[in-house]
Amino acid sequence: MSNDKEFGAKITCYASEAGMQVEETQRHKDGVPIAATVTIEMWPVMNRSPDMKRKISIQLSQDELPIYAAVLLGYLPRCQFKRPDKGIFIERQKARIYYKGTAGMGNLFQVPVPIGTTFNMSQLVLKQLTAGLETSSSEFVLAGIKGSSALYLQD
């Protein structure tokens, strides 16, 4: 996990043809921070260099953040986050979490994230979920994630 003065902590992972990052961010309303969240970014790698011009970036909403946590913690098998013209699909697989980002023709990025990196990402997401709460009880937070994931499964 790295810290950047301009942004929050971030966790980066590379595959042979793509990279991805989960970063602490803040949701804003009228220029004022209103809630802690994360942004998931994915990009292609060409000749061992990231191609940031084709980067996909999705900041998770208040409703999406606990769903992402539920996948990282094993309460849900998969989730997806869509925006106009782009999306990120996340799925639990044996010994990894698989990320697939899409943004139109020719923009498909795939990154398998290993167990240790997944653990670090889950800690970052839990930190953001508990920011601003009156309690930091792990039982309270995990119960909320479990309950939220049950609602997601009803779709």
Side-chain angles (χ1 to χ4, degrees):
M1 196 174 333
S2 68
N3 279 310
D4 185 311
K5 297 290 183 200
E6 188 176 345
F7 302 101
K10 57 185 85 174
I11 299 164
T12 306
C13 186
Y14 281 91
S16 60
E17 296 182 5
M20 64 144 324
Q21 179 171 275
V22 176
E23 179 179 16
E24 289 180 351
T25 56
Q26 295 285 321
R27 285 192 314 277
H28 291 80
K29 184 174 184 177
D30 300 324
V32 177
I34 58 169
T37 190
V38 298
T39 297
I40 303 171
E41 298 178 328
M42 298 187 75
W43 56 85
V45 172
M46 304 291 205
N47 300 321
R48 295 186 168 183
S49 296
D51 181 359
M52 294 303 194
K53 292 178 196 161
R54 293 175 47 208
K55 176 175 70 172
I56 298 169
S57 184
I58 294 182
Q59 185 179 63
L60 299 186
S61 70
Q62 178 180 355
D63 292 335
E64 293 169 331
L65 189 61
I67 297 307
Y68 181 43
V71 172
L72 292 173
L73 296 172
Y75 293 117
L76 287 173
R78 71 189 62 81
C79 65
Q80 61 183 3
F81 306 114
K82 294 182 180 181
R83 302 293 186 272
D85 302 323
K86 62 184 172 181
I88 296 177
F89 174 80
I90 304 161
E91 181 178 50
R92 296 185 68 83
Q93 296 180 348
K94 185 177 182 179
R96 65 186 183 184
I97 295 200
Y98 176 78
Y99 289 74
K100 180 170 68 174
T102 60
M105 294 292 284
N107 285 324
L108 173 63
F109 318 130
Q110 302 174 74
V111 180
V113 177
I115 294 168
T117 306
T118 296
F119 173 80
N120 292 335
M121 289 176 176
S122 69
Q123 297 307 297
L124 184 111
V125 169
L126 287 172
K127 177 183 171 193
Q128 293 301 88
L129 275 171
T130 59
L133 293 180
E134 293 182 22
T135 181
S136 61
S137 162
S138 58
E139 294 85 9
F140 177 78
V141 174
L142 292 175
I145 293 169
K146 189 174 182 180
S148 298
S149 65
L151 292 170
Y152 190 78
L153 288 172
Q154 292 177 1
D155 290 348

